[in-house]
Amino acid sequence: MPSNENDACCVYWIKDDSCVDPFRDGYIGLTKNLKSRWRDHLRSGRFPMSVTITELFHGTRKECAHEENKYRKQHNTGWNRNNGGGRFRKTFGVAS
């Protein structure tokens, strides 16, 4: 089912003890289902075993895409490869 800009969503921060600032450290993401997404991340093996997850923001998918972009304005920030807003940048008009 296609994503709707009004779907309920959250922005989250995956971090370990070395991470102190969500604007620079760790991984920022957005999802409709945090529990499922967390399991996916743990199975990926991409992050250290000692990571935790913290919810930073709740809103619509469009609001979350904008919020994620505030944390990840550039590629390769923290553990993120891409800047925030991802595939929703063009669809929802998220600033690059």
Side-chain angles (χ1 to χ4, degrees):
M1 178 154 89
S3 295
N4 181 311
E5 69 180 82
N6 295 313
D7 288 343
C9 198
C10 75
V11 175
Y12 60 91
W13 182 29
I14 295 177
K15 61 189 177 94
D16 66 9
D17 290 340
S18 71
C19 301
V20 295
D21 182 356
F23 288 93
R24 294 180 317 166
D25 304 323
Y27 179 87
I28 300 291
L30 68 87
T31 187
K32 289 191 325 183
N33 186 327
L34 187 59
K35 188 175 183 177
S36 174
R37 187 68 179 122
W38 177 234
R39 280 193 306 262
D40 292 344
H41 281 304
L42 291 175
R43 281 193 295 254
S44 77
R46 187 170 164 225
F47 303 109
M49 291 302 295
S50 60
V51 295
T52 59
I53 191 166
T54 302
E55 294 180 56
L56 299 174
F57 181 82
H58 293 272
T60 66
R61 185 169 292 275
K62 182 176 181 177
E63 291 168 336
C64 287
H66 283 278
E67 191 69 18
E68 183 188 26
N69 187 258
K70 290 178 189 178
Y71 287 98
R72 294 295 181 264
K73 291 193 172 289
Q74 299 177 23
H75 295 301
N76 300 313
T77 302
W79 298 336
N80 288 75
R81 295 176 184 146
N82 298 309
N83 56 328
R87 62 186 172 168
F88 307 110
R89 276 193 297 276
K90 195 171 195 177
T91 306
F92 299 154
V94 175
S96 297

